[in-house]
Amino acid sequence: MNAVVYQGPHDVAVEEVDEPEIQHPNDVLVDITTTAICGSDLHMYEGRTAADPGIVFGHENMGIISEVGDAVTSLEEGDRVVMPFNVACGFCQNCENGYTGFCTNVNPGFAGGAYGYVAMGPYKGGQAEKLRVPYADFNALKLPEGDEHEDAFSLLADIFPTGWHGTRLANLQPGESIAIYGAGPVGLMAAYSAKIQGASEIYVVDRVPSRLELAEDHCDAYAINFEEGDPVEQIVEKHGDEVDKGVDAVGYQAIDPETDPGDDAYDPARENPAVVLNQLIQTVRPTGEIGVPGLYVPSDPGAPDEMAAQGRLGIDFGKLFEKGQKFGTGQCNVKEYNRQLRDMIIEGRADPSWVVSHRVDLEKAPEMYQKFDEREEGVTKVLLEP
């Protein structure tokens, strides 16, 4: 079968690989109908992780079940399903407590597993024609038959729940104001989630005009371009004070607005891994809460300095303490939210598909990785169709 295979930094290719097989009675095999490129994939694509060549990418996957293991009881051939990017067992202590992003059974020595991602276990990704899903009764979410809401449902694998998770880590309440740093797919979904949850004012910070326009048009957000002035000052001036809550949807590759953009606004030399966290500390009011779904790593080969290379950041902890703020961190436990978000899509209460900018054949994956990595104008969320 064809699959997107990592070759090395800034290099992926669609290659012929072995088809997956049932390895355990709890497995199912899925014929992939839609898979997606994620901002987290770019960390591997850019060589900013310990990923070795040969990894099949893809942790946002949906499709039709084509084969069912003997022990699977709630699924059958022909079912349409979407899989959380988390691979989870369902019965360890963390899974029982709802922390499926931190399962302790699926990836020995590490809390959490995922499809097609470095250090997240032996699970091949779904940017391919087929995917093996372990612990399938627990991991596969059944969808209505047919192809309705295909784009929206595909976002249940990661970015819609992860955006929602950012607001829940911040404990957003109806009527509160919130600032979201980052208008990539997760940041846009966080803003959309804040709108659905009744936020009074939503501020979205980025530098890509097309992404900021989406935040304005679909999330009723105030767009803050950090290249046009200090984002903290812009938000405080617009709001009249610090906001109630904040979300970091950027992560460790954040751009420092104080650096000179020069001819290349995405120059890695502009990175400051702690800048967004520190901006949020300034943006959010005393005793406010900050959700951090943006990815941070314990090591970064391409970090701008030695401390950041070890996953250590220069956070203004004294100011955080002084203001009595709280941080909520960690990857999304997708199963905590995906069933409810699915039902909201079915009933027309939510439709996140507006964030999708491209649906292309799997063969175009290398081209779209390059465009997404360069933050090309108009490229927000790319879906691949094997």
Side-chain angles (χ1 to χ4, degrees):
M1 69 172 184
N2 288 327
V4 177
V5 180
Y6 177 61
Q7 308 292 310
H10 300 280
D11 186 9
V12 296
V14 177
E15 294 183 347
E16 184 77 17
V17 301
D18 293 338
E19 290 193 3
E21 298 178 347
I22 296 288
Q23 297 180 18
H24 187 278
N26 287 332
D27 292 349
V28 299
L29 301 184
V30 174
D31 288 338
I32 296 295
T33 56
T34 300
T35 182
I37 300 175
C38 180
S40 296
D41 291 328
L42 295 184
H43 301 306
M44 295 186 292
Y45 176 76
E46 294 172 354
R48 297 293 290 270
T49 70
D52 294 322
I55 292 179
V56 175
F57 281 175
H59 58 266
E60 301 182 26
N61 310 305
M62 68 177 292
I64 307 297
I65 294 177
S66 58
E67 189 173 346
V68 179
D70 292 341
V72 175
T73 60
S74 64
L75 302 166
E76 57 187 36
E77 187 176 329
D79 282 346
R80 184 188 187 201
V81 291
V82 62
M83 279 62 67
F85 75 86
N86 320 115
V87 178
C89 71
F91 53 81
C92 71
Q93 182 176 355
N94 281 344
C95 283
E96 287 184 343
N97 290 331
Y99 299 114
T100 54
F102 303 88
C103 177
T104 56
N105 279 335
V106 296
N107 188 12
F110 194 95
Y115 302 97
Y117 210 87
V118 60
M120 298 298 282
Y123 310 100
K124 290 187 177 180
Q127 289 176 12
E129 295 179 60
K130 296 177 181 289
L131 177 72
R132 179 179 75 91
V133 179
Y135 303 101
D137 283 310
F138 187 67
N139 286 310
L141 177 68
K142 195 180 296 187
L143 302 169
E145 295 180 1
D147 58 8
E148 190 176 11
H149 306 303
E150 181 80 9
D151 288 2
F153 285 149
S154 71
L155 305 181
L156 293 173
D158 186 350
I159 66 165
F160 193 14
T162 296
W164 193 277
H165 182 59
T167 65
R168 300 323 317 142
L169 287 172
N171 193 29
L172 177 68
Q173 299 299 310
E176 290 187 323
S177 54
I178 187 168
I180 296 160
Y181 280 71
V186 169
L188 290 170
M189 289 294 96
Y192 187 54
S193 299
K195 175 185 175 180
I196 293 171
Q197 294 171 35
S200 58
E201 293 182 34
I202 303 166
Y203 298 86
V204 175
V205 180
D206 206 282
R207 62 167 304 281
V208 181
S210 60
R211 294 181 174 187
L212 290 171
E213 289 171 9
L214 287 172
E216 290 178 316
D217 293 344
H218 295 278
C219 309
D220 299 333
Y222 295 106
I224 305 295
N225 190 325
F226 68 73
E227 299 283 26
E228 298 177 356
D230 182 272
V232 178
E233 293 178 359
Q234 291 187 66
I235 293 170
V236 171
E237 180 179 358
K238 182 72 175 177
H239 181 60
D241 201 351
E242 297 157 323
V243 298
D244 296 307
K245 302 293 171 64
V247 171
D248 172 4
V250 180
Y252 73 106
Q253 288 186 267
I255 295 294
D256 192 335
E258 297 297 320
T259 58
D260 183 2
D263 295 329
D264 183 1
Y266 302 108
D267 187 343
R270 300 187 70 202
E271 289 183 10
N272 177 348
V275 67
V276 165
L277 295 173
N278 289 330
Q279 288 169 334
L280 279 165
I281 291 169
Q282 297 176 60
T283 304
V284 173
R285 65 172 172 81
T287 73
E289 297 175 70
I290 299 167
V292 188
L295 179 66
Y296 289 86
V297 293
S299 64
D300 174 14
D305 57 62
E306 185 175 346
M307 188 170 77
Q310 301 174 47
R312 300 178 180 182
L313 310 181
I315 298 173
D316 297 334
F317 194 82
K319 180 59 69 173
L320 175 76
F321 181 89
E322 177 188 284
K323 296 180 77 170
Q325 295 168 331
K326 295 179 181 177
F327 269 1
T329 68
Q331 70 176 2
C332 178
N333 308 297
V334 173
K335 280 183 61 66
E336 185 176 358
Y337 315 107
N338 67 347
R339 189 176 300 272
Q340 294 92 328
L341 296 179
R342 175 202 63 185
D343 293 346
M344 290 172 68
I345 292 169
I346 291 171
E347 293 301 319
R349 307 294 185 183
D351 182 3
S353 63
W354 54 264
V355 79
V356 175
S357 59
H358 295 73
R359 172 181 279 275
V360 300
D361 291 339
L362 187 72
E363 294 293 332
K364 293 187 177 180
E367 172 189 346
M368 297 314 300
Y369 262 95
Q370 181 178 355
K371 291 177 180 292
F372 190 39
D373 183 53
E374 293 174 352
R375 283 71 168 176
E376 186 172 300
E377 189 70 33
V379 180
T380 50
K381 189 62 177 177
V382 178
L383 304 184
L384 303 174
E385 191 173 300

